[in-house]
PDB file of all heavy atoms in Angstrom:
ATOM      1  N   MET A 879      12.406  -2.742 -15.278  1.00  0.00           N
ATOM      2  CA  MET A 879      13.369  -3.318 -14.383  1.00  0.00           C
ATOM      3  C   MET A 879      12.749  -4.431 -13.549  1.00  0.00           C
ATOM      4  O   MET A 879      13.361  -5.464 -13.334  1.00  0.00           O
ATOM      5  CB  MET A 879      13.979  -2.248 -13.499  1.00  0.00           C
ATOM      6  CG  MET A 879      15.022  -2.767 -12.578  1.00  0.00           C
ATOM      7  SD  MET A 879      15.849  -1.416 -11.743  1.00  0.00           S
ATOM      8  CE  MET A 879      17.508  -1.916 -11.956  1.00  0.00           C
ATOM      9  N   ALA A 882      12.549  -8.055 -14.882  1.00  0.00           N
ATOM     10  CA  ALA A 882      13.733  -8.911 -14.817  1.00  0.00           C
ATOM     11  C   ALA A 882      13.785  -9.714 -13.516  1.00  0.00           C
ATOM     12  O   ALA A 882      14.575 -10.638 -13.401  1.00  0.00           O
ATOM     13  CB  ALA A 882      14.998  -8.064 -14.936  1.00  0.00           C
ATOM     14  N   SER A 886       8.955  -9.942  -7.907  1.00  0.00           N
ATOM     15  CA  SER A 886       8.834  -8.514  -7.594  1.00  0.00           C
ATOM     16  C   SER A 886       7.417  -8.055  -7.896  1.00  0.00           C
ATOM     17  O   SER A 886       6.752  -8.600  -8.773  1.00  0.00           O
ATOM     18  CB  SER A 886       9.807  -7.693  -8.426  1.00  0.00           C
ATOM     19  OG  SER A 886      11.127  -8.045  -8.132  1.00  0.00           O
ATOM     20  N   VAL A 888       4.658  -4.285  -7.275  1.00  0.00           N
ATOM     21  CA  VAL A 888       4.521  -2.910  -6.829  1.00  0.00           C
ATOM     22  C   VAL A 888       3.163  -2.749  -6.164  1.00  0.00           C
ATOM     23  O   VAL A 888       2.145  -3.203  -6.699  1.00  0.00           O
ATOM     24  CB  VAL A 888       4.644  -1.912  -8.010  1.00  0.00           C
ATOM     25  CG1 VAL A 888       4.330  -0.496  -7.568  1.00  0.00           C
ATOM     26  CG2 VAL A 888       6.014  -2.003  -8.634  1.00  0.00           C
ATOM     27  N   TRP A 891      -0.477   3.132  -4.122  1.00  0.00           N
ATOM     28  CA  TRP A 891      -1.726   3.715  -3.631  1.00  0.00           C
ATOM     29  C   TRP A 891      -1.946   5.118  -4.158  1.00  0.00           C
ATOM     30  O   TRP A 891      -2.732   5.867  -3.634  1.00  0.00           O
ATOM     31  CB  TRP A 891      -1.725   3.717  -2.096  1.00  0.00           C
ATOM     32  CG  TRP A 891      -2.290   2.452  -1.534  1.00  0.00           C
ATOM     33  CD1 TRP A 891      -2.035   1.180  -1.963  1.00  0.00           C
ATOM     34  CD2 TRP A 891      -3.213   2.342  -0.473  1.00  0.00           C
ATOM     35  NE1 TRP A 891      -2.745   0.301  -1.227  1.00  0.00           N
ATOM     36  CE2 TRP A 891      -3.477   0.973  -0.290  1.00  0.00           C
ATOM     37  CE3 TRP A 891      -3.847   3.269   0.353  1.00  0.00           C
ATOM     38  CZ2 TRP A 891      -4.340   0.516   0.679  1.00  0.00           C
ATOM     39  CZ3 TRP A 891      -4.692   2.795   1.318  1.00  0.00           C
ATOM     40  CH2 TRP A 891      -4.939   1.430   1.475  1.00  0.00           C
ATOM     41  N   GLY A 894      -5.949   7.430  -6.498  1.00  0.00           N
ATOM     42  CA  GLY A 894      -7.145   8.198  -6.251  1.00  0.00           C
ATOM     43  C   GLY A 894      -8.120   7.570  -5.255  1.00  0.00           C
ATOM     44  O   GLY A 894      -9.305   7.856  -5.293  1.00  0.00           O
ATOM     45  N   ALA A 898      -7.143   8.025   0.788  1.00  0.00           N
ATOM     46  CA  ALA A 898      -5.845   8.684   0.600  1.00  0.00           C
ATOM     47  C   ALA A 898      -5.996  10.178   0.345  1.00  0.00           C
ATOM     48  O   ALA A 898      -5.038  10.929   0.502  1.00  0.00           O
ATOM     49  CB  ALA A 898      -5.082   8.019  -0.537  1.00  0.00           C
ATOM     50  N   PRO A 901      -7.588  14.309   4.389  1.00  0.00           N
ATOM     51  CA  PRO A 901      -6.503  14.816   5.237  1.00  0.00           C
ATOM     52  C   PRO A 901      -6.603  14.347   6.689  1.00  0.00           C
ATOM     53  O   PRO A 901      -5.596  14.306   7.385  1.00  0.00           O
ATOM     54  CB  PRO A 901      -6.627  16.336   5.126  1.00  0.00           C
ATOM     55  CG  PRO A 901      -7.957  16.608   4.555  1.00  0.00           C
ATOM     56  CD  PRO A 901      -8.406  15.379   3.823  1.00  0.00           C
ATOM     57  N   GLN A 903      -6.919  11.424   7.602  1.00  0.00           N
ATOM     58  CA  GLN A 903      -6.274  10.122   7.684  1.00  0.00           C
ATOM     59  C   GLN A 903      -4.754  10.208   7.806  1.00  0.00           C
ATOM     60  O   GLN A 903      -4.072   9.187   7.810  1.00  0.00           O
ATOM     61  CB  GLN A 903      -6.650   9.268   6.465  1.00  0.00           C
ATOM     62  CG  GLN A 903      -8.107   8.945   6.369  1.00  0.00           C
ATOM     63  CD  GLN A 903      -8.605   8.179   7.589  1.00  0.00           C
ATOM     64  OE1 GLN A 903      -7.949   7.265   8.087  1.00  0.00           O
ATOM     65  NE2 GLN A 903      -9.768   8.561   8.071  1.00  0.00           N
ATOM     66  N   THR A 908       3.424  12.785   5.283  1.00  0.00           N
ATOM     67  CA  THR A 908       4.000  11.451   5.010  1.00  0.00           C
ATOM     68  C   THR A 908       3.604  10.371   6.004  1.00  0.00           C
ATOM     69  O   THR A 908       3.928   9.215   5.782  1.00  0.00           O
ATOM     70  CB  THR A 908       5.542  11.528   4.960  1.00  0.00           C
ATOM     71  OG1 THR A 908       6.029  12.032   6.207  1.00  0.00           O
ATOM     72  CG2 THR A 908       6.015  12.414   3.831  1.00  0.00           C
ATOM     73  N   ARG A 911      -2.575   7.377   9.277  1.00  0.00           N
ATOM     74  CA  ARG A 911      -3.233   6.809  10.460  1.00  0.00           C
ATOM     75  C   ARG A 911      -3.593   5.343  10.233  1.00  0.00           C
ATOM     76  O   ARG A 911      -3.441   4.804   9.148  1.00  0.00           O
ATOM     77  CB  ARG A 911      -4.462   7.635  10.817  1.00  0.00           C
ATOM     78  CG  ARG A 911      -4.105   9.072  11.203  1.00  0.00           C
ATOM     79  CD  ARG A 911      -5.332   9.848  11.640  1.00  0.00           C
ATOM     80  NE  ARG A 911      -4.993  11.230  11.887  1.00  0.00           N
ATOM     81  CZ  ARG A 911      -4.521  11.692  13.057  1.00  0.00           C
ATOM     82  NH1 ARG A 911      -4.339  10.882  14.070  1.00  0.00           N
ATOM     83  NH2 ARG A 911      -4.231  12.971  13.189  1.00  0.00           N
ATOM     84  N   LEU A 912      -4.092   4.718  11.285  1.00  0.00           N
ATOM     85  CA  LEU A 912      -4.335   3.274  11.311  1.00  0.00           C
ATOM     86  C   LEU A 912      -5.254   2.775  10.178  1.00  0.00           C
ATOM     87  O   LEU A 912      -4.937   1.738   9.593  1.00  0.00           O
ATOM     88  CB  LEU A 912      -4.908   2.878  12.675  1.00  0.00           C
ATOM     89  CG  LEU A 912      -5.052   1.386  12.928  1.00  0.00           C
ATOM     90  CD1 LEU A 912      -3.724   0.666  12.752  1.00  0.00           C
ATOM     91  CD2 LEU A 912      -5.588   1.164  14.325  1.00  0.00           C
ATOM     92  N   ALA A 915      -3.120   2.420   7.199  1.00  0.00           N
ATOM     93  CA  ALA A 915      -2.093   1.398   7.455  1.00  0.00           C
ATOM     94  C   ALA A 915      -2.675   0.001   7.309  1.00  0.00           C
ATOM     95  O   ALA A 915      -2.042  -0.882   6.721  1.00  0.00           O
ATOM     96  CB  ALA A 915      -1.502   1.607   8.832  1.00  0.00           C
ATOM     97  N   THR A 920      -2.796  -4.949   4.313  1.00  0.00           N
ATOM     98  CA  THR A 920      -3.589  -6.008   3.680  1.00  0.00           C
ATOM     99  C   THR A 920      -3.191  -6.174   2.223  1.00  0.00           C
ATOM    100  O   THR A 920      -2.992  -7.293   1.722  1.00  0.00           O
ATOM    101  CB  THR A 920      -5.095  -5.694   3.781  1.00  0.00           C
ATOM    102  OG1 THR A 920      -5.453  -5.681   5.159  1.00  0.00           O
ATOM    103  CG2 THR A 920      -5.934  -6.730   3.048  1.00  0.00           C
ATOM    104  N   GLU A 921      -3.039  -5.059   1.518  1.00  0.00           N
ATOM    105  CA  GLU A 921      -2.649  -5.143   0.114  1.00  0.00           C
ATOM    106  C   GLU A 921      -1.230  -5.691  -0.058  1.00  0.00           C
ATOM    107  O   GLU A 921      -0.967  -6.449  -0.983  1.00  0.00           O
ATOM    108  CB  GLU A 921      -2.774  -3.766  -0.565  1.00  0.00           C
ATOM    109  CG  GLU A 921      -2.648  -3.867  -2.042  1.00  0.00           C
ATOM    110  CD  GLU A 921      -3.132  -2.638  -2.777  1.00  0.00           C
ATOM    111  OE1 GLU A 921      -4.064  -1.974  -2.272  1.00  0.00           O
ATOM    112  OE2 GLU A 921      -2.586  -2.368  -3.853  1.00  0.00           O
ATOM    113  N   ASP A 924      -1.537  -9.425   0.410  1.00  0.00           N
ATOM    114  CA  ASP A 924      -2.126 -10.029  -0.781  1.00  0.00           C
ATOM    115  C   ASP A 924      -1.106 -10.143  -1.911  1.00  0.00           C
ATOM    116  O   ASP A 924      -1.057 -11.137  -2.638  1.00  0.00           O
ATOM    117  CB  ASP A 924      -3.345  -9.234  -1.254  1.00  0.00           C
ATOM    118  CG  ASP A 924      -4.523  -9.296  -0.300  1.00  0.00           C
ATOM    119  OD1 ASP A 924      -4.527 -10.163   0.601  1.00  0.00           O
ATOM    120  OD2 ASP A 924      -5.441  -8.477  -0.464  1.00  0.00           O
ATOM    121  N   ILE A 926       2.130 -10.441  -1.589  1.00  0.00           N
ATOM    122  CA  ILE A 926       3.076 -11.514  -1.229  1.00  0.00           C
ATOM    123  C   ILE A 926       2.471 -12.884  -1.567  1.00  0.00           C
ATOM    124  O   ILE A 926       3.144 -13.749  -2.128  1.00  0.00           O
ATOM    125  CB  ILE A 926       3.493 -11.416   0.247  1.00  0.00           C
ATOM    126  CG1 ILE A 926       4.351 -10.172   0.448  1.00  0.00           C
ATOM    127  CG2 ILE A 926       4.230 -12.684   0.692  1.00  0.00           C
ATOM    128  CD1 ILE A 926       4.597  -9.823   1.900  1.00  0.00           C
ATOM    129  N   ARG A 928       0.195 -13.520  -3.824  1.00  0.00           N
ATOM    130  CA  ARG A 928       0.190 -13.671  -5.275  1.00  0.00           C
ATOM    131  C   ARG A 928       1.588 -14.063  -5.787  1.00  0.00           C
ATOM    132  O   ARG A 928       1.704 -14.905  -6.704  1.00  0.00           O
ATOM    133  CB  ARG A 928      -0.267 -12.391  -5.957  1.00  0.00           C
ATOM    134  CG  ARG A 928      -1.753 -12.163  -5.881  1.00  0.00           C
ATOM    135  CD  ARG A 928      -2.205 -11.029  -6.810  1.00  0.00           C
ATOM    136  NE  ARG A 928      -1.524  -9.778  -6.569  1.00  0.00           N
ATOM    137  CZ  ARG A 928      -1.901  -8.860  -5.665  1.00  0.00           C
ATOM    138  NH1 ARG A 928      -2.957  -9.065  -4.909  1.00  0.00           N
ATOM    139  NH2 ARG A 928      -1.216  -7.728  -5.531  1.00  0.00           N
ATOM    140  N   THR A 931       2.304 -17.757  -5.230  1.00  0.00           N
ATOM    141  CA  THR A 931       1.498 -18.721  -5.996  1.00  0.00           C
ATOM    142  C   THR A 931       1.767 -18.650  -7.489  1.00  0.00           C
ATOM    143  O   THR A 931       1.049 -19.269  -8.264  1.00  0.00           O
ATOM    144  CB  THR A 931      -0.001 -18.497  -5.712  1.00  0.00           C
ATOM    145  OG1 THR A 931      -0.360 -17.164  -6.062  1.00  0.00           O
ATOM    146  CG2 THR A 931      -0.326 -18.754  -4.259  1.00  0.00           C
ATOM    147  N   ARG A 932       2.758 -17.921  -7.903  1.00  0.00           N
ATOM    148  CA  ARG A 932       3.118 -17.853  -9.336  1.00  0.00           C
ATOM    149  C   ARG A 932       3.740 -19.141  -9.793  1.00  0.00           C
ATOM    150  O   ARG A 932       4.427 -19.826  -9.176  1.00  0.00           O
ATOM    151  CB  ARG A 932       4.119 -16.716  -9.583  1.00  0.00           C
ATOM    152  CG  ARG A 932       3.457 -15.386  -9.652  1.00  0.00           C
ATOM    153  CD  ARG A 932       4.468 -14.387 -10.088  1.00  0.00           C
ATOM    154  NE  ARG A 932       3.832 -13.062 -10.147  1.00  0.00           N
ATOM    155  CZ  ARG A 932       4.476 -11.971 -10.402  1.00  0.00           C
ATOM    156  NH1 ARG A 932       5.771 -11.992 -10.637  1.00  0.00           N
ATOM    157  NH2 ARG A 932       3.857 -10.822 -10.462  1.00  0.00           N
TER     158      ARG A 932
END
Side-chain angles (χ1 to χ4, degrees):
M879 182 172 227
S886 298
V888 173
W891 270 43
Q903 295 301 317
T908 59
R911 297 184 185 274
L912 188 56
T920 297
E921 191 164 329
D924 292 346
I926 291 169
R928 284 192 304 274
T931 58
R932 280 188 181 175

